[in-house]
Amino acid sequence: MLVFHLKREFFEKVKQGKKTHEYRRWSNKYKYLNNYVGADFTKVEAPIIRLDLGYAKITETKKQIFAQMVSCRVVDAKGTDFQKIDPQYNGKVYDVEFKLIENRGGFRND
């Protein structure tokens, strides 16, 4: 399972269904995402993503949202919400598109 830690602003947008893409700087820190770039999820199982409000504890289920990856690609940071976090960065970012999972293992997305 992939885990992304989000600031409250972005977590709330995901929760409301207004944000369906998460961006991460294209760097060695996130190189594991290369495994998913361009993957055809109609032929292989798409990974599950846990989106946490900040660094939530595993027991703080109200601060977690579960989603499934739809696609992953590398794009220019310009014009993405990544620039709200780092306005000076003009390089590449991973664009991870996802869809929410209604209920999963007793955890809820509400």
Side-chain angles (χ1 to χ4, degrees):
M1 176 182 318
L2 301 174
V3 178
F4 293 133
H5 303 279
L6 306 179
K7 290 185 173 190
R8 182 172 301 279
E9 170 191 2
F10 299 117
F11 183 84
E12 292 299 327
K13 285 182 179 181
V14 169
K15 194 171 165 181
Q16 296 165 6
K18 296 178 180 179
K19 178 176 169 57
T20 58
H21 292 254
E22 178 58 20
Y23 301 96
R24 298 292 162 166
R25 186 187 299 260
W26 189 49
S27 69
N28 283 336
K29 180 177 180 181
Y30 299 106
K31 68 181 176 184
Y32 63 88
L33 288 173
N34 285 331
N35 297 327
Y36 306 111
V37 172
D40 183 355
F41 294 123
T42 62
K43 297 181 179 176
V44 297
E45 187 175 345
I48 301 297
I49 302 168
R50 191 180 84 214
L51 302 147
D52 289 356
L53 173 57
Y55 286 86
K57 295 177 183 172
I58 194 74
T59 56
E60 296 180 295
T61 59
K62 294 273 187 204
K63 296 180 180 178
Q64 299 171 337
I65 299 172
F66 288 88
Q68 190 162 29
M69 187 181 290
V70 172
S71 68
C72 183
R73 57 197 184 122
V74 177
V75 299
D76 288 324
K78 187 173 184 175
T80 69
D81 62 11
F82 185 85
Q83 289 200 307
K84 289 183 179 180
I85 294 170
D86 188 352
Q88 303 303 314
Y89 182 71
N90 291 316
K92 303 279 186 189
V93 293
Y94 290 102
D95 173 0
V96 179
E97 183 181 5
F98 57 86
K99 63 181 178 182
L100 297 182
I101 298 172
E102 290 303 317
N103 287 307
R104 182 179 183 279
F107 296 100
R108 296 178 38 155
N109 284 335
D110 60 357

